[in-house]
Structures are given as C-alpha cells and as structure tokens.
Amino acid sequence: MTQQSPIVPANLETIAKAAEIIRAGQLVALPTETVYGLGADATNPEAVAKIFTAKGRPSFNPLIVHVASLELAGTLAEVTPLAERLAANFWPGPLTLILPRDEQRRIPDITVAGLDTIAIRIPNHPIALELLIKAEVPIAAPSANRSGHVSATTAAHVADDFGASVSLILDAGPTVHGVESTVIDATGSVPVILRPGAITAEALTDVIGAQPETRSSHAASPTSPGQLESHYAPNCRVRLNATDVRPNEHYLAFGPAVPDGIEPLANLSPCGDLVEAATNLFAILRHIDQPGIDTVAIAPIPNTGIGVAINDRLRRAAAPRPVVNGGIQLPSG
Ligand code: TXA
Ligand code: MG
C-alpha cells in the first residue's frame, strides 16, 4: 500500500480542514510569504511539543507566534511604542517583533522556551491569514524543516523533511521572499536586528529615521536562541566568496560573471538581482545537496539590502558543525 501524500492544494475547503486539525492539537504545514511554517495551536502545550519533536528542535529555542491582527498581538504581549510604529509600517509582513510577554501569560512557556519575551508576526500571505482566522487561535510556526536543515520554500521540501509525520501540508506554490522574516527586538526604544531577513536594514532605517542596531549572536550564548552558528546546513562542504574554482569543487554562481571555463551547478540570479537570489536560495541549497558533490564554492554576494540575509544564511551553511560525542549535531531550527 502506498502512503498518501499529505500535500493538498490550499483552498477554502482544505484551509477549513487545516483549521480543524490545528484546533485538535495536531500539526499543519502552511505557506507564508517567507518560507513554509510548521504550525500548531500556540496556546496548547501538547500541540507545541509536537513541533519540537517533529523538527528535532532543542527546547531552548523559542517559536514565532503568528496572529491575524495587531489587536490579538496586544493580548499576548506588550506592544511597545516602537513595536506600534514598526507594525504600522511592516505588518502584515516578514517582520517578527520580540516583545515583553503579557502578564496573564496566555501563551505557555514551552512556546517561548520559558523566556519573558515573545516573538510575534502577522504574515502577509492570504492562505496563512485565512487559516489564522478560521483556526481562531494564534499559530506557533517555526520554519518547516528539520532542525539545522535548510528551510522549506515549497510544499515538496516540507514533505521531503517530514514525510507522513505532518498530517497536512497546504500547498500554495513557492514562497515569494525565500528567506525568513527579519527578527527585531522591539522591547526597548531602538530596534535591534537579531536575525537579518526579508525586511532590510535600509527599509527599517527609512521608517525609524536611524540605523537599527544589530546584535550578532555567538554560538555559545546566542541572543536569539535560534541563531546558532551552524544552520541551513547541507551535507556537502561550502566555501564562500569564491572567485575561482578548485579541484573537486562545484560552483554556485551569482550574476552574469562566471570564472572562465566553469559550468556552474546553478546560478542564484543570472542577472545579479539580490531579491531573485533570495527567492532561489533555499531551493538551490537543497538542489546542490546531492550525493557525489563534495564541496560547493559560492560566488561573492553583495552585502546590501536582502544580500545581508543571504550572506547570513550562507555563512551558517558554511559554519563547522559542532561535534558532540564523536557525532555531528545540527542545532537549532
Ligand atoms: O519567516 C519566518 O520567520 C518563518 C515563518 C514560518 O514565519 N519562521 C521562522 O521560524 O523562521 P524559526 O523558528 O525558524 O525562527 C525563529 C527565530 C529563531 O531564531 C528563534 O530563536 C527566534 O526567532 N526567536 C523566537 N522567539 C524569540 C525570543 N523571544 N527572543 C529572541 N529570539 C526569538
Ligand atoms: Mg528556522
């Protein structure tokens, strides 16, 4: 007997089914404008525990809680004046705000890994928003990949990582941005970027009138617990900022200039467009992860706009994996 695929096209009927599954405490993979998420009722500790188990995610790494309105966000967190300003400009959208938790603690500790803060965002995707409205609960959703692996930008990527352990994957085609949301600490008066993402520092500067701070994390004591060094890790080795190709290496190009005589494995954006490169990034990282490919040399990517998020993900893809008890451990999610 063949296993039935959990992938279904997203429509009003399948969204209603997904909402029922969420309310029943099970997992649903959903599209967002950034990457696919692995969703559960954020208020149900048993349901949230299933996310950590399915992903193999360490329990110290908190989840993003997705809501359909700023009003609902205000019942789960203290919406600071800075957060109000950012939300007015970027929500719905690929910006996650870290805020102080509400006093009643409506969202259980497991969802936020016991922190006094909570990560919230309103996604800008019609299917995600419809699901949030129909489910009538906030949805905790990390990226729908196994912990430490490359994020999923198609329903097929989700199925590759989870198989039948997710009962339903709502398929709405490839995601638009291709990299995750920008995570901002908005607890104070100045925005601090904890994870660069689809909303660029330049766009934040335009709204705030000053450059946001960046708190770069360190593997030993990450400020944003998911920001561990090794992440987005394909099995092959990765060499960055490559302007030549060495023996036994394959080449991943960006833009029209390719080293002489080299046939690249793929090109992140043949015309050199960073937005296109971000959209293609995770699908290409999954594609290059084939048997027989030892090392991939990756062309330099300009570190402006969404290029900052691309370089952040590539740096993590290239980072050495921590070795624990002689085996390789892939942290975070
Ligand atoms: O685009 C996205 O953000 C996707 C879609 C599905 O919404 N989600 C996503 O979730 O990327 P995840 O779990 O893969 O990444 C969430 C990041 C992690 O680095 C986590 O540590 C951080 O947000 N985070 C969550 N809560 C936090 C908190 N209270 N303080 C600091 N960082 C937090
Ligand atoms: Mg992730």
Side-chain angles (χ1 to χ4, degrees), residues 55 143 145 151 180 231 333:
K55 277 185 63 99
S143 51
N145 53 280
S151 298
E180 300 88 342
H231 200 118

Side-chain angles (χ1 to χ4, degrees), residues 291-312:
I293 294 190
D294 179 65
T295 302
V296 177
I298 304 184
I301 311 291
N303 205 39
T304 57
I306 203 163
V308 176
I310 297 174
N311 283 318
D312 171 79

Side-chain angles (χ1 to χ4, degrees), residues 34 57 61-62 64 66 117 119 121 142-143 180-181 195 224 226 333:
T34 55
R57 181 174 176 116
N61 192 2
I64 296 175
H66 298 71
T117 53
R121 91 174 179 102
S143 51
E180 300 88 342
S181 61
R195 176 179 74 180
S224 191

Side-chain angles (χ1 to χ4, degrees), residues 14 39 57 70 81-82 93 109 128 142 146 151 187 193 223 233 244 256 258 272 275-276 327 333:
T14 54
R57 181 174 176 116
L70 181 56
L82 171 64
D109 273 345
R146 286 208 183 271
S151 298
T187 56
I193 298 179
T223 320
D244 63 343
V258 173
V275 172
E276 181 184 40

Side-chain angles (χ1 to χ4, degrees), residues 159-173:
D160 286 347
D161 272 24
F162 295 106
S165 63
V166 175
S167 33
L168 197 74
I169 302 173
L170 288 176
D171 185 357

Side-chain angles (χ1 to χ4, degrees), residues 12-65:
L12 287 178
E13 201 181 312
T14 54
I15 293 171
K17 171 121 197 288
E20 254 173 57
I21 295 174
I22 294 275
R23 277 198 304 270
Q26 306 295 328
L27 305 183
V28 166
L30 64 143
T32 82
E33 77 278 39
T34 55
V35 298
Y36 275 72
L38 184 62
D41 176 353
T43 65
N44 177 341
E46 285 83 25
V48 170
K50 288 176 189 155
I51 294 181
F52 283 93
T53 304
K55 277 185 63 99
R57 181 174 176 116
S59 58
F60 60 77
N61 192 2
L63 306 178
I64 296 175
V65 175

